[in-house]
Amino acid sequence: MDKLSRRRFLRSSALALAGVVSACAPKPAATPQREPTTAPTTGAPATEPTKVTPTEAPKLSGTLSVMIWGSKQDVDEVRAVIAGYESRFPDVTLDIQEGACGVDYGACKTLIAGGAMPDVFVPGDWLIPSMSQDGVLLVLDPYIDRDGVNLDDFYPAAMISLKGADNKVLALPMGYHICVMYYNQDMFDKAGLPYPPADGNYTWHDVREWARKLTLDSKGNDANSSSFDPNDIVQWGMWTWPFTYIGFEPIILAFGGSVMTIPDGKKCNLEHPDSIRGMQFIQDLIWKDHSTMTPQADQENAGKYRFAAGEVAIMSAAAHWQTNIVMDQNPSLRNDVAAMPKEKAGNATHIYVTGWGVYSGTKAPELAWHFVRFVSTEGAGIEMGLIPAYKDLAMSDLFLKRPGEPEHLKEAFLDPAAWPLCIPPTVNNVHYAEIIGPDGIAPAVEAIYLNEKPAAEALAGVCEKVDAIMAS
Amino acid sequence: MREMTIGARTRRGPSPQARREWLAAYAFLTPQILGLLIFLAGPLIVSIYYTFTKWDLVAPAPTWIGLANWQHLLEDPRIGKVLWNTVRFILTGTTGFLVLSLAVALLVNQGLRGTAVMRTLFFLPWVLSQVAVGTTWKWLLNTRSGPIVQAFKLFGLRSPEWLLDARYAMIAIAMATTWQALGFGMTIYLAGLQGIPQHLYDAAKVDGANAWQRFRYVTFPSLSPVIFFLTVTSLIGAFQLYDPVVMMTSGGVGIAPGGPKDSTRTIVLYLQNQMFSYSEKLSGLGYAATIAWVLAALIFAVTLIQWRAARWWVFYGGEED
């Protein structure tokens, strides 16, 4: 073997090093076709594609980053839907990330500032007003119009809160939660009570009576008994969300009140007598009747788990995730669902929607849209414990006859989506989060739920604060 | 040229050997210096710049607004509240930690049987994360079946609503943090206690000093550097209180981020809320950076005061009276 000269050795080493470096360097991505659109490549995210070429077919190759969130089960379900897309379009490489962007705007902001925002994510409708204002979501109307996507294929209520200013569509719905009443059939049978009508043809005062009968202390006395011990409750008649609008809004709506005026949502309405009556009704359920779980009891062990464990008879304003919890923790629990009850203003419920959205700063808007369109429509699945917003799927046996689903799924979850008082509260109100926060109504609501003040006293002056927030 | 002229004197420059050593030293130090510049000095300077800007992180760049954030800070009614909450924590949590960990150290320093086991048990919580401790204490303090509440019942007493009552929520957090840090404080105190020469106690005994007098005139002065160290570090920690507050009083749907009636919102939590909270009007990164600088100034001022005051009560070995 020839002796290696110093120069030759150095040259060989340099070549070897260059080889190693180039081998370790990231491979160039498959050349993505420049999309015919338009999301901005520099500067502030635009809210609208400036140009779409309707005739040009999308190039189905390239890389797309997708951020999803939720519990392990949620994530598994979403991943299954995404796997459907991957098998159908193998030339598209998906980079699936798990992160809080979609449920928490702060998480999105850090990603945006760091230049790491995914192309597609799963925004909850509570973020839509702020994201609409900031132009974070790509406006989808031009794509919808070009590709002829029929928005009537989705439940209309699920579309309302995914629209931003000027009624532009900012996301396609993955699914929605609608508040319903879950109830334990064995407890109702034992108390000799009829089941709540699935279509919601019963009142909140019926519920109040049932809850008192269904609340038992350790000696078996119900809340109507003079011997009943409220400090020794072993079976709660009812649970409702402590402190939050998800729990109280369906009640005050049915009573004729609301947080904000309906339908314009511009002024505070919490000091209206009907709103006060609704809030007082909740306080009475908890502290006068002792038939509804206190915030303290919920802090000890959340109502959703107690229901699955057979400790709570009625879950008020619960959503479809409750079915997942029951299926996971106590599949033998005999339970069913009914639509939310009515009062003088009729039946009222609350809907909140989770959608598929595209980041307005994406470099691949066409591919992102293609993905969003597929997973929202023909490729949609039952995900994140949501009611599918795509009607074909929601009405299919795949969903309605799914093992473990309650019997009256359709009456409780699908039909109320058409009620006049099925309202997504955050719609087009960029201030809503602040209104329900500590600068708005939270202290008053806290005082009501903790029985510190009667509702009228707690709510006195609250509208002045809310209207000031609206005016800011 | 290896000769340098300084004033009237002439001396030789560093030798090649010394120069090589200097170069090697700087070569080893360079990564550290670069790290400090990039990860400490850089962000510090940038954060000063941010205090004069407004940025929600979504816009492509911050907007210069001059002194508006500082003016807003002076007018912000919440700042006083969050500072008072921090002071309440110092009065309960920090004081409790300093006193109780000294008491425990004195106890386990007696050389009683089982002392080694006791030390280990007291130290164990220190290795847990604050998140785990917060979660555990949230359960311990729940007002229906929590063991602490049950203990109150055993004595026929009514337990406070620890985490739902504005009067008690910060005390509950102080209890949790004290419990966690007790072992750390005990260990530091023990090291100090075991360094006190026995002959000082013997001499005090000969002079007729009782147990309290021996503690007052021997133990406390000898331990004063340790007490000083723990006071400085625990006060800095108190100003930075965050994890237990979030875990114990800020979680859950509908619960405001500062506990009942904002009673546990500390300055760091407020800083974070101003940047990321969902349920408040956000002032953005610039205002959060301004609060951060106020916090840094406060910590600096409090530490400086402690250093200045230390000359009156901290005695180091070998000092002359």
Side-chain angles (χ1 to χ4, degrees), chain B residues 5 19 42-43 57 76 94 96 105 107 110 112 118 128 150 152-153 167 176 182 199 217 245 268-269 287 297 304:
Chain B
T5 302
R19 198 175 292 168
L57 296 182
D76 187 346
T94 310
L107 187 71
Q110 299 301 312
L112 303 173
M118 291 287 282
L128 299 174
Q150 296 305 316
F152 270 75
K153 279 186 188 167
R167 290 169 299 172
L182 205 61
H199 66 81
Y217 295 107
V245 173
V268 177
L269 179 59
Y287 191 55
L304 192 68

Side-chain angles (χ1 to χ4, degrees), chain B residues 64-138:
Chain B
W64 181 266
I65 56 169
L67 290 171
N69 283 324
W70 293 94
Q71 192 178 341
H72 179 44
L73 187 89
L74 295 174
E75 295 163 357
D76 187 346
R78 281 233 183 93
I79 284 290
K81 172 83 174 168
V82 297
L83 283 174
W84 173 237
N85 287 341
T86 305
V87 170
R88 283 171 55 229
F89 176 75
I90 290 169
L91 292 175
T92 50
T94 310
T95 310
F97 158 73
L98 289 169
V99 173
L100 286 176
S101 51
L102 175 59
V104 172
L106 289 169
L107 187 71
V108 298
N109 195 40
Q110 299 301 312
L112 303 173
R113 185 179 291 182
T115 299
V117 176
M118 291 287 282
R119 286 180 195 171
T120 310
L121 288 177
F122 276 118
F123 193 78
L124 268 179
W126 182 246
V127 304
L128 299 174
S129 77
Q130 289 196 318
V131 172
V133 170
T135 308
T136 306
W137 275 81
K138 193 172 179 177

Side-chain angles (χ1 to χ4, degrees), chain A residues 216-236:
Chain A
L216 302 175
D217 66 16
S218 66
K219 295 193 175 71
N221 301 308
D222 68 34
N224 289 318
S225 164
S226 56
S227 311
F228 174 71
D229 181 359
N231 294 314
D232 190 26
I233 294 171
V234 294
Q235 177 182 304
W236 292 96

Side-chain angles (χ1 to χ4, degrees), chain A residues 43-45 104-106 109-110 112-113 126-127 134 136 233 236 241-246 294-297 299-300 306 426 433-434 437-439 446 450 452 472, chain B residues 55-60 78 138-139 141-146 153 158 161 163-165 248 253-257 259-262 265 275-276 278-282:
Chain A
D104 173 14
Y105 193 17
K109 286 180 173 180
T110 51
I112 292 168
W126 52 95
L127 301 183
D134 294 345
V136 168
I233 294 171
W236 292 96
W241 290 94
F243 303 119
T244 177
Y245 64 99
I246 301 170
T294 60
Q296 289 86 343
Q299 183 194 59
E300 178 190 45
R306 288 180 188 265
T426 55
E434 196 183 344
D439 293 329
E446 199 175 289
L450 293 175
E452 292 171 352
S472 65
Chain B
W55 191 26
D56 62 359
L57 296 182
V58 177
R78 281 233 183 93
K138 193 172 179 177
W139 171 75
L141 291 167
N142 89 66
T143 45
R144 281 176 51 82
S145 60
K153 279 186 188 167
R158 185 179 168 79
E161 305 264 14
L163 302 176
L164 293 169
D165 188 325
M248 292 172 68
V253 176
I255 309 274
K261 295 187 174 56
D262 237 6
R265 177 144 35 186
M275 190 61 239
F276 293 119
Y278 165 64
S279 57
E280 283 169 69
K281 185 177 181 63
L282 303 181

Side-chain angles (χ1 to χ4, degrees), chain A residues 268-344:
Chain A
C268 172
N269 197 38
L270 260 180
E271 289 184 71
H272 188 280
D274 289 331
S275 303
I276 293 171
R277 239 190 313 277
M279 294 302 280
Q280 187 59 50
F281 181 79
I282 297 168
Q283 192 180 53
D284 290 346
L285 286 172
I286 300 171
W287 297 106
K288 193 171 172 185
D289 297 359
H290 303 290
S291 65
T292 295
M293 273 177 65
T294 60
Q296 289 86 343
D298 193 66
Q299 183 194 59
E300 178 190 45
N301 189 14
K304 56 191 175 185
Y305 302 119
R306 288 180 188 265
F307 180 79
E311 295 173 21
V312 176
I314 304 170
M315 292 282 288
S316 165
H320 188 247
W321 41 254
Q322 187 64 48
T323 293
N324 279 7
I325 294 174
V326 170
M327 282 160 68
D328 181 51
Q329 300 193 358
N330 188 6
S332 62
L333 186 81
R334 284 187 62 236
N335 72 102
D336 200 358
V337 287
M340 293 292 279
K342 62 187 175 183
E343 268 306 313
K344 75 170 193 181

